[in-house]
Amino acid sequence: MKRRSLKGTTGRLAMVGSARSMAGVALLGAIAAALLLAACSPDSDSAPTPAPGVTTTIDTVDGTVRVTNSGTPPEWRLTRVTSIGPESLSGTGSPDEFGRIYDVALGPDDAVFVADGMNSEVRVFGIDGVHRRTFGRDGEGPGEFARLYSVAWLGDRLLALDSQQGRISEFSAEGELLGQRRIQGGLSGGPGFVRFWRVGADEAYHVTLTSVPGRSWEFVGVDSRGETGDTLLQLEGPNSPSVHCEHGGYIHFFGIPFATKLVQRPGPGGAMYSAMTGDYRIAVTRANGDTVRVIERSLPAEPISDEEWSEGNSDYMALRDSLPFIVCDPLRPPRPEAKPFIEAIDIGYDGTLWVEVIREAGNRWDVFDPEGRLLGSMPAPTERRSVTPPAIGTDHVLTVRRGDFDLDYVDVWRIEREGVR
């Protein structure tokens, strides 16, 4: 096996967990097995400029590229440019008084597109927070929405997803309706799942029900002109493990604190990026199940204190104490060996991989280049809605938070990079 080591670089991809965290997940376990093969081949001799403080080792094992990052990456930061939202509950119906934000997107000319699902409108601002225009309304006619779930700027137009009505509408930057296309209708769910998953300048995915036996969802590729023909099955794995209790005809669910789960999202090149959160390991797989790349970062595990474990189970234990004959499964939530590493993964508009890392000092975003080399790390914004994924542009990031009076706000952040030449 030939190995190339680079001082300083990044990595991105969807992960495969260790044998411990992958137990019972046969599909992802098959991906992990590919890493054990001994046949190796050298990577390309051309190496990008490494990031200071990071050592990246790249191996190729029987066609699967394994990228391992260690060291301390350059410290990047986010500087808030503006917050789009009302300073007070004025009741004037101004454009920055949103009903409920389902999605945000960046577009040309520093445009910020906001999908207001409650008002069935697309509201457009600049990154300076100045309102430019609003288009769309509630209804079933052309350019109208029954439920505006998501927006994405692809190619030369804005795509607006109305999965309840089964339609994607196409708009110009000025809000002119350019056309519409039919998709499977009647779908509903959280805005973090029923949405566009942008993977390139002119490509995204959205979810739909699949006819594959034993599977529920698949991701369908679209671009500015229609479907791309790419489809990716949603991977099967643990998702938010919980305790469920039954008493008097009622069922109660309690999440297991710090439990490992599967996170995934479509990525560039017809690939799925996935990670078991209990390990810092991300794998990218093709539609046929082949693993083409695995990206890792060496970080120390953080223990779970007795106080944290008790606090995480406080609601469950309070119910148990108040209803001593309640039937719960499992009776005692299994305590993980350590805290998980990964909260979420996402793809930036420039193809970078953004991994939200769970750390006791505060969550961080680690950023990897398309080959899997670690470029930088920064504190993740704390006041934001986790159900609304960020829009990550080349120079700016959009996040959504819930503020006073139960109103939504869009925060515009500028990416300040250190150690980039």
Side-chain angles (χ1 to χ4, degrees), residues 1-3 31-43 58-68 291-294:
M1 177 183 298
K2 294 187 179 181
R3 176 170 295 183
I31 300 173
L35 302 179
L36 303 179
L37 299 179
C40 302
S41 61
D43 284 285
I58 302 178
D59 301 326
T60 301
V61 183
D62 195 31
T64 299
V65 179
R66 179 169 178 169
V67 186
T68 303
T291 304
V292 296
R293 190 176 300 264
V294 173

Side-chain angles (χ1 to χ4, degrees), residues 374-386:
L374 182 57
L375 298 176
S377 181
M378 73 199 84
T382 56
E383 296 181 0
R384 57 191 173 93
R385 295 178 60 199
S386 59

Side-chain angles (χ1 to χ4, degrees), residues 85 91 130 145 160 225 351 383:
V130 175
F145 308 106
R225 297 301 185 265
E383 296 181 0

